[in-house]
Amino acid sequence: MIEETVISKAIIESYIKDLLASVESDVIIGGAGPSGLCAGYYLAQKGFRTLLFERGLKLGGGLPGGGIMFNRIVVQDAAKSMLDEFGISYQEYQPGYYVANSLETTACLTNKAIKAGLRIYNLISIEDVIVREKSVNGVVINWSSVELAKLHIDPLSFKSKIVIDATGHPCEIARIVERKSGGKLLTPSGKIEGEKSMWAEVAEQLTMENTKEVFPNLYVTGMAANAVFGGPRMGPIFGGMLLSGKKVAEIVIDKL
Ligand code: 48F
């Protein structure tokens, strides 16, 4: 016999228990693209209480779409060992260029991150940050459906020691902080420098350099790092995203 109300209770109890345990944590990541998932994996693996809020229903951000919906991505030599670490299959297309299935890559990153202990909440958007003594101290969240329907419903706040902006091209968390701090980011102009046009090689290199703190206790990774610090875009080559997620985790682990 299957009782519908037992199914409801099981789902509600399990989710609420998990959510309650997440109200205070070490690190909150915004965005479940490749950089956010990698950052979450390495942080959770080291035992840090890490959670990730993702606006969308599905995970992976720009990853599953590959290049113009051809569900393949390219990864360069520098990040090949990460494909091995996450158990992602690939083929060498030309020396130094590895091609992988973007759906398998998304699945492997997600699986490893969750198994390592990363708590992922999809369908939730970060709409603001908590600020204490001029440093970021957590995030303010609401259901993405509330945001999309433009309903006037107050949010909830989740505290953490560190926040990582992995929201990709729009760099949404850094943008909120820029707006509300009067433009006092740790960038040359104090403001968001803005993403530049395609230059894959330079973009991949700069993504690594730009992966850093942008406001006290707020770090940027992935395409958000290039958007904030003025690097170019790179299209469907993903080594920089994976390596940037790993780098931000290492920086944050050192700080904590
Ligand atoms: O865009 P996205 O995949 O970010 P990424 O990790 O990777 C970029 C690449 O996909 C690609 C590229 C590199 O080759 O140029 O574009 O830097 O994933 C960002 C995720 O953040 C979510 C969004 O739905 C997406 O899944 N997101 C954005 N804003 C918010 C958010 C927000 N305010 N709250 C929660 N999630």
Side-chain angles (χ1 to χ4, degrees), residues 124-175:
I124 292 183
S125 296
I126 296 176
E127 62 163 60
D128 203 348
V129 293
I130 304 173
V131 173
R132 289 282 184 283
E133 311 297 339
K134 297 192 177 144
S135 79
V136 170
N137 216 222
V139 301
V140 178
I141 57 143
N142 215 323
W143 299 112
S144 302
S145 47
V146 166
E147 179 188 63
L148 287 169
K150 296 188 169 52
L151 301 177
H152 186 176
I153 297 177
D154 266 325
L156 292 177
S157 302
F158 280 58
K159 274 198 169 176
S160 62
K161 296 171 188 155
I162 301 285
V163 173
I164 298 175
D165 183 344
T167 62
H169 299 262
C171 54
E172 286 197 21
I173 304 172
R175 220 169 267 287

Side-chain angles (χ1 to χ4, degrees), residues 8-21:
S8 302
K9 283 180 189 169
I11 288 174
I12 294 168
E13 250 182 68
S14 169
Y15 190 90
I16 295 296
K17 195 172 156 206
D18 198 273
L19 197 64
L20 269 176

Side-chain angles (χ1 to χ4, degrees), residues 58-74:
K58 308 236 171 65
L59 307 184
L63 174 57
I68 64 159
M69 297 194 281
F70 296 166
N71 57 16
R72 299 289 186 277
I73 57 161
V74 170

Side-chain angles (χ1 to χ4, degrees), residues 177-178 181-193 214-215:
V177 173
E178 178 199 41
S181 70
K184 297 222 169 56
L185 301 183
L186 302 167
T187 59
S189 68
K191 300 193 173 181
I192 288 170
E193 305 293 338
V214 67
F215 192 82

